[in-house]
Amino acid sequence: MQAGFQLAIELTNVFPVREMVKSTFDHVVSFARELQKSGSDLIVEEDLAALFGRGRIMPDFIEQFKRVTLKDTRIIPLYRDSQIVLDSRPGPTVTRAFRDDDPGYLATVIQLSMLGWTHDRTSLAAALVECMARRFRMKLPNARPEPSFDRLMGTLEICSSQTSPFLWSDFIQSIELRVQAVLEQHDTCLRGESTLLTFNTLFATIDYLYLVQSLPEHRKITISNQKGFTTVITWAHYLLGLVILLKTPREDVWFGSGPAQVIIEWQLTDVHQDPEICLLDNEMKVILKSQPDLFEGIQIVASERHPLKNFGSTCLRREFNTRTITSSGSPLYLEATELIIAFALITCKKMVRINAFYADSRHERSRRHEQIRIDRWRTIAAARLIFDEIEFDEVAVNTQVERIEQASFHTNISLPRTLEIYTNKAYGNNKDWFDTDLKRLIRHLTNLVVVFATISGVENYAGLPLILGDTRLSEPLIVLDRTLINRLLQIGEKDFLYFVSQLLVGPRFISEESAHGNTVFLVSDFGWSVFLSTVGDNDPAEIQPELLYIRKGIPTDSNSEVRKSRIRDSPG
C-alpha cells in the first residue's frame, strides 16, 4: 500500500475536515485588512491552521504562554512628537488567537512561534511550502494548495514578533542540561545539532505527532537519532503532552510518565545523519516510515535564539561540552569569560570613528580618525549581563589585560593555562588556537560585549532574542588577531547597527540591505527595534553616529496602524 494512501486513511479516521469559523463577510474583510497592515495574510493563516491546528496544546502551557505574551502592552513614540511609535502590544494574529473560539488557531500560533525560534525562517518557510505542496499532491485530508513563499514568510515573521516575550530557550536549555547531566556520568559528549529539524523530520512529525496525541494507546513514534531532539521534546512533550523516552547508550531519560509515545534513539556515531521516523501501532509494528533519502536537497537551517542575558554563558557551555566533557564547576568557564572581557576592554580603547566623507576616498583614513570613548563600567555592565551565571573577578580581568598588552607584534597571544590544556585536548596538541572554533567564539563574544557596552541601560535588554552559535555573524566587525594590540580598529557609522541586526534578523540581513543601498536606520524583528542615535530631533553636536538605541516594540504608524520591520532613508 502506498505511503500517501495509508497516511490519508490514518488522518481521515482521526481528524474531521476543518472549516473556517463562520463570520460575517464584513468582519472577515476588516480582519484581513488588519492582518495585511501587520504583514500577515488571512488565507495563509487559515491554511496553516488547517495543518497545525489539529494539535491540542496543554491547558497549563496555554495559560503560561498567554500570561507572558500579553504582559507588555506599552506604546512609546520613536522620538518626541513622532508619528512612528514602538508598539509592544500583540498584533491582530495573536489577539485573534487568544479571543477566537477556535483552539486550533491558537495552537497554530504557538507551534509556529516555537519553530521560528529554533530555525531560520527563510528555510523554514520554504520547507513548509514544500510540505503543504506534497500533502496536497498526496490528497491528504485538510491538505491545502501551497501558499506563496513571501506570504508564508510574512506570517512566520509576524508570529515571531508578536510572541517574542515568550523565551523558548528556557525549555531548550532545560532539556539540554538534563540530558547533559546524564551523559556526563557515562563520559559521553553532547554531540549533534539539538534544535535542527530536518525536512524529513518536519514532514513526518506534522502528521505523526497529532495521530499519536489522538490515538495515545494505539500509535507510537520512533526517531532513529538525536538530531533535533530538543525541538522534538519541546513540541511533543511540553506543547502536546506526549511521553518521551530518550534512549541513551547507558541510561534512559524520560519526559512525562506512562508508556512511551515518542522514542528517540541516542547514537554515538553518525549524529549528523538525517533520522528515520516511523509510526507504529500498539504492537510496535511499523505502519508508516519516513526515510530521509526521499527528501534529499531540501534543507532547513538551524537558527536558535537565546536572550542576551547569559548568551555568553550558554555559548561557552556548548563549546566546552561538544568535544570534551566539562563539569559546571570547571575553572574553564571563568578563565574564558575573563579573557573575553579583557579583549573587550582592550578593543574599546582601540576603536576610532571613520569620517564618512573620507571613508571611500583616497585620503589617508588615519588623518580623519576620532577616538570612540567607552567607559570601562559600561563594558563591565554588558559583560555581567552576557555572562550572568559566571561571577568573574575584575582584578583577574585586569591581569589578563596586562598580559595581552605586553605581547609584541610578533608574539602569539597565548591562552591561560586551563584554556591551553582544553585546546590541546579538544583540538590536538599541534593546533594553533587562533585556527580553532574556540578563537572564533571568543572573537564573537568579544564583539558582543563591545557593542552592548555602547548602549545605555544594557540591563533593560536582557530578553533581546539573538541568534545563538553562528560566529560568522561577527566577521564584518572586529577581527581578533595577533595584531590587535598594535593597531586601531576603524568603526563605520553603521557597523554596530549591522552587527546587532544580523544577530536579530539573520545572515540574510546584509544581502537584503545591500540590495536597498544600505540606507536602513531602523531594524525590527522578534518584537524588538534597533536604530541609530541619529534618529529624531537630537542636537547634532551631541550625536555619536555609530552608537545605538534598542527598544521593545514594533515600528507602527500611529495614524494608519501599518507595521514595518525596516525604516530607510530616502535616496539622496
Side-chain angles (χ1 to χ4, degrees):
M1 184 179 295
Q2 291 185 346
F5 181 68
Q6 179 62 39
L7 181 56
I9 293 175
E10 289 280 322
L11 296 172
T12 302
N13 291 336
V14 175
F15 301 109
V17 175
R18 173 185 169 86
E19 294 183 1
M20 192 170 180
V21 176
K22 304 299 183 183
S23 304
T24 64
F25 178 76
D26 290 342
H27 175 74
V28 171
V29 171
S30 176
F31 181 67
R33 287 198 181 103
E34 289 182 28
L35 286 178
Q36 189 176 50
K37 290 178 182 178
S38 74
S40 190
D41 182 274
L42 178 62
I43 301 302
V44 171
E45 289 192 2
E46 187 62 26
D47 287 347
L48 289 168
L51 190 60
F52 290 96
R54 297 169 297 167
R56 301 188 305 276
I57 307 298
M58 300 296 290
D60 290 347
F61 187 93
I62 290 176
E63 288 304 313
Q64 180 185 3
F65 187 84
K66 184 175 182 179
R67 182 175 64 254
V68 173
T69 304
L70 299 182
K71 184 178 181 179
D72 192 351
T73 58
R74 291 173 297 171
I75 304 175
I76 59 174
L78 183 60
Y79 55 89
R80 186 177 56 188
D81 300 326
S82 171
Q83 181 177 321
I84 303 298
V85 298
L86 298 179
D87 193 344
S88 297
R89 298 173 301 173
T93 297
V94 169
T95 300
R96 175 192 171 189
F98 287 132
R99 290 179 180 174
D100 207 337
D101 58 359
D102 179 8
Y105 192 82
L106 176 58
T108 301
V109 169
I110 290 175
Q111 291 170 91
L112 291 178
S113 173
M114 184 270 296
L115 291 171
W117 184 276
T118 53
H119 297 86
D120 167 67
R121 288 163 301 174
T122 302
S123 63
L124 178 61
L128 287 174
V129 168
E130 181 63 23
C131 280
M132 296 171 77
R134 292 188 182 217
R135 296 183 81 258
F136 186 72
R137 291 197 296 268
M138 293 167 70
K139 303 186 185 304
L140 299 180
N142 285 315
R144 309 284 178 85
E146 71 272 22
S148 76
F149 167 82
D150 289 339
R151 291 183 178 181
L152 198 150
M153 179 68 182
T155 298
L156 286 179
E157 290 179 338
I158 290 306
C159 284
S160 297
S161 292
Q162 295 183 18
T163 64
S164 65
F166 194 85
L167 302 181
W168 292 99
S169 52
D170 290 347
F171 293 87
I172 293 166
Q173 299 300 316
S174 174
I175 295 166
E176 201 170 72
L177 288 171
R178 185 175 169 192
V179 174
Q180 182 177 325
V182 171
L183 296 177
E184 283 180 5
Q185 299 174 16
H186 304 292
D187 200 31
T188 302
C189 298
L190 189 65
R191 297 179 181 273
E193 298 168 289
S194 70
T195 61
L196 175 61
L197 297 184
T198 65
F199 182 81
N200 178 51
T201 304
L202 178 66
F203 185 76
T205 50
I206 278 178
D207 286 310
Y208 292 5
L209 286 178
Y210 307 141
L211 285 168
V212 173
Q213 188 185 44
S214 299
L215 301 169
E217 297 180 359
H218 301 282
R219 296 292 181 267
K220 297 180 186 295
I221 297 172
T222 59
I223 303 176
S224 63
N225 70 32
Q226 67 267 31
K227 192 170 188 176
F229 76 95
T230 56
T231 300
V232 171
I233 293 172
T234 301
W235 190 356
H237 177 64
Y238 290 104
L239 270 62
L240 303 180
L242 303 182
V243 178
I244 312 295
L245 170 58
L246 181 62
K247 296 177 67 66
T248 72
R250 301 289 182 84
E251 184 177 342
D252 292 341
V253 184
W254 289 83
F255 294 85
S257 58
Q261 296 168 301
V262 179
I263 302 169
I264 304 172
E265 297 284 347
W266 191 276
Q267 305 292 343
L268 297 180
T269 59
D270 298 328
V271 295
H272 298 293
Q273 295 295 318
D274 288 2
E276 179 181 271
I277 322 294
C278 293
L279 181 69
L280 313 175
D281 63 17
N282 56 353
E283 296 180 353
M284 301 299 286
K285 294 180 179 178
V286 176
I287 298 174
L288 289 165
K289 180 185 295 185
S290 187
Q291 296 173 303
D293 56 0
L294 299 177
F295 304 105
E296 292 180 354
I298 304 174
Q299 299 293 326
I300 304 178
V301 178
S303 189
E304 178 188 352
R305 302 274 164 169
H306 193 286
L308 182 62
K309 183 177 180 179
N310 269 323
F311 187 97
S313 308
T314 299
C315 287
L316 292 178
R317 178 176 57 79
R318 290 192 175 178
E319 162 65 27
F320 296 146
N321 287 277
T322 298
R323 298 170 182 83
T324 63
I325 300 170
T326 306
S327 66
S328 58
S330 169
L332 262 179
Y333 300 101
L334 184 58
E335 275 199 1
T337 299
E338 290 170 348
L339 180 65
I340 290 164
I341 299 170
F343 277 129
L345 288 169
I346 293 170
T347 300
C348 287
K349 294 188 292 186
K350 299 266 180 199
M351 292 192 299
V352 292
R353 182 182 303 118
I354 299 174
N355 186 301
F357 180 77
Y358 289 98
D360 297 320
S361 72
R362 295 182 180 180
H363 288 73
E364 186 66 34
R365 283 185 171 186
S366 60
R367 298 176 184 173
R368 306 301 303 175
H369 289 155
E370 181 181 353
Q371 187 171 5
I372 299 172
R373 300 186 181 278
I374 301 174
D375 294 330
R376 174 191 171 92
W377 69 266
R378 292 185 182 276
T379 307
I380 297 299
R384 291 203 185 281
L385 178 64
I386 293 168
F387 298 97
D388 183 71
E389 291 178 353
I390 302 171
E391 296 183 8
F392 58 84
D393 180 7
E394 287 193 52
V395 175
V397 171
N398 292 338
T399 301
Q400 292 289 349
V401 170
E402 293 172 2
R403 185 181 65 83
I404 296 169
E405 288 183 332
Q406 288 172 0
S408 67
F409 182 87
H410 297 291
T411 302
N412 191 358
I413 300 174
S414 61
L415 290 172
R417 181 58 179 163
T418 307
L419 275 171
E420 184 180 6
I421 293 172
Y422 162 77
T423 304
N424 291 337
K425 181 179 179 182
Y427 296 99
N429 292 327
N430 298 322
K431 187 75 169 179
D432 184 346
W433 81 275
F434 261 83
D435 297 325
T436 65
D437 288 340
L438 175 62
K439 179 258 186 174
R440 286 181 278 275
L441 177 60
I442 289 175
R443 178 191 61 194
H444 183 58
L445 295 178
T446 297
N447 286 337
L448 196 70
V449 173
V450 169
V451 171
F452 280 92
T454 68
I455 301 170
S456 178
V458 68
E459 66 278 359
N460 297 318
Y461 315 128
L464 180 68
L466 303 177
I467 294 173
L468 185 72
D470 191 348
T471 58
R472 295 170 300 172
L473 299 180
S474 280
E475 290 176 2
L477 191 56
I478 299 165
V479 179
L480 175 62
D481 61 21
R482 297 181 178 89
T483 68
L484 173 66
I485 61 174
N486 298 287
R487 62 186 173 85
L488 297 176
L489 298 169
Q490 300 177 350
I491 305 298
E493 62 176 330
K494 291 187 178 180
D495 283 354
F496 291 167
L497 173 67
Y498 276 41
F499 174 79
V500 177
S501 297
Q502 279 200 107
L503 287 172
L504 188 61
V505 176
R508 62 185 172 88
F509 172 79
I510 295 294
S511 59
E512 289 177 353
E513 287 314 310
S514 295
H516 285 88
N518 293 306
T519 56
V520 70
F521 63 84
L522 183 150
V523 179
S524 180
D525 205 348
F526 275 83
W528 290 79
S529 295
V530 53
F531 51 98
L532 296 172
S533 59
T534 52
V535 171
D537 54 357
N538 302 310
D539 183 347
E542 298 179 355
I543 289 175
Q544 292 178 270
E546 71 283 339
L547 303 188
L548 301 179
Y549 291 121
I550 296 178
R551 298 287 185 270
K552 188 76 173 66
I554 303 171
T556 306
D557 188 310
S558 56
N559 293 331
S560 66
E561 297 187 346
V562 172
R563 296 186 171 199
K564 294 290 184 181
S565 61
R566 312 275 173 91
I567 302 180
R568 298 182 173 91
D569 288 320
S570 58

